């Protein structure tokens, strides 16, 4: 054991989080947890993890489910590509490996939606294979302790950090080592307000000694943000609502939504109501505009969505090609993006 391993391992013994997928290192459970935790903090993801494995306790159940059922359980967690890929990968495991989770790094890495990080996590935690994980926590811990200033979002940075992570890996206990480093990053060496005064690496940490904690790790670019304006039409006809599946390769693919008028600019309500798209959707019906919601801002990782809902009542149905009329009682069997689900729950509880 190197001094680095020893320090980390003592810290881990005292601070290890008791997480459900850590109880037996079952690769299916570790896989699900790692995919959920990719863009989500542990406390946030835990309820989804528990619901997911209750509904899909094994690979076969997941593979045999419909994509819609998987999205329904994922609803509200965001980054829905993760759910679609989990479902595809479960089917891939049934076909290629007879339903048995594969145990070699390359096989795991070839599963749909599994990248270097996830493959390393599963390979080390469930199969004891010597692969070091590199996630946001690990980048931060290594950059600070060892004083690495190469930006983490560059090819050079990734290479350098991967080399450092590999050289540090405890090859005898790769799973516990990886988990320890990730917990250390999440609990001790936090992005803001790390607990440096009680840190076991206090005397060695480059960033602490050189007052660089807040500057490490370095990122080369700020990600550009895109503003989008979503005007959703909650069109009610005879206690039924118009719904559509989002098909484009865009956010929320294969989730359901209301008729949408998306604009590049922040239009006024009156401009939306007189737009050609509004007329196209409502055709020659006589819509009654019941109310327009206040604007909601929904922040995604690289997009800011400005959403408003326009409640409309119709006396006669209009036939809309891409939309189905769904009775209110069936509405919540469809997976919706979080802001839509929240609005529908609020509106329909109020009026029905
Ligand atoms: N974040 C993502 N995966 C994790 C793991 N296995 N342990 C701790 N934090 C994590």
């Amino acid at each position: 054991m190197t001094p680095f391993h020893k320090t980390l391992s003592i810290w881990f013994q005292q601070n290890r989080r008791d997480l459900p997928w850590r109880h037996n290192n079952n690769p299916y459970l570790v896989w699900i947890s790692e995919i959920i935790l990719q863009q989500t903090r542990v406390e946030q993801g835990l309820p989804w993890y528990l619901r997911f494995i209750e509904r899909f306790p094994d690979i076969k159940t997941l593979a045999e489910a419909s994509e819609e059922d998987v999205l329904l359980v994922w609803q509200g967690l965001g980054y829905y590509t993760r759910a679609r890929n989990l479902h595809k990968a479960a089917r891939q495991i049934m076909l290629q490996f007879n339903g048995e989770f594969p145990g070699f790094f390359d096989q795991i890495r070839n599963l749909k939606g599994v990248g270097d990080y996830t493959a390393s996590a599963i390979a080390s935690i469930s199969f004891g294979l010597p692969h070091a994980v590199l996630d946001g926590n690990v980048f931060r811990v290594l950059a600070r302790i060892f004083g690495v200033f190469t930006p983490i979002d560059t090819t050079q940075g990734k290479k350098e950090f991967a080399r450092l992570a590999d050289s540090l890996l405890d090859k005898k206990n790769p799973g516990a080592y990886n988990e320890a480093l990730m917990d250390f990053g999440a609990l001790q060496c936090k992005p803001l307000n790390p607990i440096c005064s009680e840190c076991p690496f206090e005397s060695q940490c480059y960033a602490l000694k050189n007052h660089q904690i807040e500057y490490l790790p370095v990122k080369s670019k700020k990600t550009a943000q895109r503003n989008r304006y979503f005007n959703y039409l909650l069109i009610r006809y005879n206690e039924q609502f118009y719904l559509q599946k989002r098909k484009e390769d865009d956010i929320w693919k294969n989730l359901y939504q209301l008729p949408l008028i998306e604009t590049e600019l922040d239009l006024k309500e009156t401009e939306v109501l007189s737009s050609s798209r509004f007329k196209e959707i409502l055709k020659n019906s006589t819509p009654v505009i019941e109310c327009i919601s206040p604007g909601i801002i929904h922040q995604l990782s690289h997009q800011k969505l400005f959403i408003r809902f326009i409640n409309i009542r119709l006396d006669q149905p209009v036939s809309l090609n891409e939309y189905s009329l769904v009775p209110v009682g069936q509405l919540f069997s469809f997976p919706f993006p979080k802001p839509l689900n929240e609005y529908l729950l609020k509106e329909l509880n109020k009026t029905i």
Side-chain angles (χ1 to χ4, degrees):
M1 236 189 203
T2 65
F4 184 80
H5 295 159
K6 184 130 184 91
T7 307
L8 185 63
S9 133
I10 292 170
W11 180 91
F12 195 43
Q13 278 166 30
Q14 293 163 351
N15 296 281
R16 180 179 188 271
R17 288 182 286 190
D18 180 25
L19 301 169
W21 54 89
R22 288 183 173 172
H23 294 171
N24 60 11
N25 292 338
N26 171 324
Y28 174 71
L29 302 184
V30 169
W31 172 46
I32 303 299
S33 74
E34 291 300 347
I35 298 293
I36 287 178
L37 296 182
Q38 269 171 17
Q39 274 103 350
T40 309
R41 281 176 298 111
V42 167
E43 314 81 76
Q44 244 177 335
L46 200 53
W48 270 269
Y49 169 82
L50 295 172
R51 243 177 288 145
F52 195 94
I53 58 153
E54 186 178 65
R55 173 68 184 79
F56 310 112
D58 49 41
I59 297 167
K60 188 163 181 282
T61 318
L62 179 57
E64 286 172 358
S66 67
E67 185 187 84
E68 213 145 293
D69 277 345
V70 180
L71 288 171
L72 208 49
V73 176
W74 204 268
Q75 179 172 275
L77 190 56
Y79 302 98
Y80 296 89
T81 307
R82 295 183 293 174
R84 290 189 297 271
N85 283 342
L86 271 180
H87 184 233
K88 287 189 188 121
R91 293 187 168 183
Q92 198 183 344
I93 296 171
M94 294 307 292
L95 284 174
Q96 289 179 7
F97 304 106
N98 236 336
E100 183 100 16
F101 203 98
F104 291 104
F105 181 85
D106 289 344
Q107 295 170 329
I108 302 171
R109 177 70 179 78
N110 274 331
L111 297 173
K112 188 88 183 157
V114 171
D116 286 335
Y117 163 76
T118 310
S120 299
I122 302 169
S124 62
I125 295 169
S126 298
F127 300 103
L129 298 173
H131 290 269
V133 300
L134 258 184
D135 73 345
N137 288 316
V138 179
F139 275 120
R140 187 169 60 256
V141 173
L142 300 187
R144 286 176 175 170
I145 295 181
F146 296 96
V148 185
F149 283 82
T150 320
I152 60 173
D153 54 348
T154 57
T155 317
Q156 174 62 23
K158 287 190 181 114
K159 244 193 237 164
E160 219 172 287
F161 277 92
R163 222 178 301 127
L164 177 59
D166 283 341
S167 73
L168 290 168
L169 180 69
D170 181 351
K171 297 198 173 55
K172 291 215 176 77
N173 275 307
Y177 167 86
N178 280 333
E179 286 183 324
L181 206 51
M182 289 192 278
D183 273 12
F184 184 78
L187 304 175
Q188 183 93 27
C189 194
K190 298 181 289 182
L192 295 177
N193 307 318
I195 313 168
C196 298
S197 58
E198 294 162 30
C199 177
F201 293 103
E202 189 188 2
S203 62
Q204 295 151 258
C205 179
Y206 174 94
L208 186 60
K209 281 194 272 187
N210 296 284
H211 310 287
Q212 298 294 314
I213 293 283
E214 63 192 291
Y215 306 111
L216 286 169
V218 175
K219 267 195 185 170
S220 71
K221 40 188 175 292
K222 255 189 124 189
T223 33
Q225 168 138 302
R226 177 179 170 207
N227 288 345
R228 300 173 74 175
Y229 300 89
F230 283 12
N231 298 275
Y232 276 121
L233 309 184
L234 180 62
I235 309 175
R236 177 193 300 243
Y237 164 70
N238 200 14
E239 298 319 305
Q240 302 172 88
F241 295 89
Y242 289 91
L243 280 196
Q244 172 199 45
K245 190 167 179 163
R246 267 183 88 87
K247 297 253 173 54
E248 308 80 24
D249 259 329
D250 186 13
I251 57 166
W252 302 337
K253 185 180 179 189
N254 291 357
L255 272 74
Y256 284 76
Q257 67 175 5
L258 306 170
L260 170 66
I261 301 173
E262 179 176 355
T263 60
E264 282 296 315
L265 299 172
D266 187 8
L267 298 191
K268 293 199 193 80
E269 293 168 0
T270 49
E271 290 173 315
V272 175
L273 297 178
S274 59
S275 66
S276 55
R277 180 75 183 124
F278 184 84
K279 286 176 190 142
E280 185 189 321
I281 293 174
L282 274 306
K283 304 231 171 61
N284 29 26
S285 68
T286 44
V288 179
I289 314 294
E290 294 193 312
C291 69
I292 301 180
S293 76
I296 295 165
I297 296 178
H298 189 73
Q299 183 71 56
L300 300 171
S301 57
H302 304 137
Q303 299 185 30
K304 194 171 197 168
L305 310 183
F306 297 82
I307 304 174
R308 67 159 84 90
F309 293 90
I310 303 174
N311 291 10
I312 294 169
R313 190 180 285 278
L314 293 182
D315 294 335
Q316 294 292 322
V318 280
S319 76
L320 300 175
N321 284 343
E322 326 127 59
Y323 302 94
S324 320
L325 251 184
V326 176
V328 66
Q330 288 171 26
L331 217 51
F332 293 101
S333 60
F334 293 91
F336 292 108
K338 189 172 180 175
L340 267 160
N341 199 53
E342 282 174 357
Y343 186 76
L344 290 173
L345 279 170
K346 188 161 65 75
E347 275 309 291
L348 301 181
N349 276 341
K350 199 164 74 186
T351 58
I352 287 176

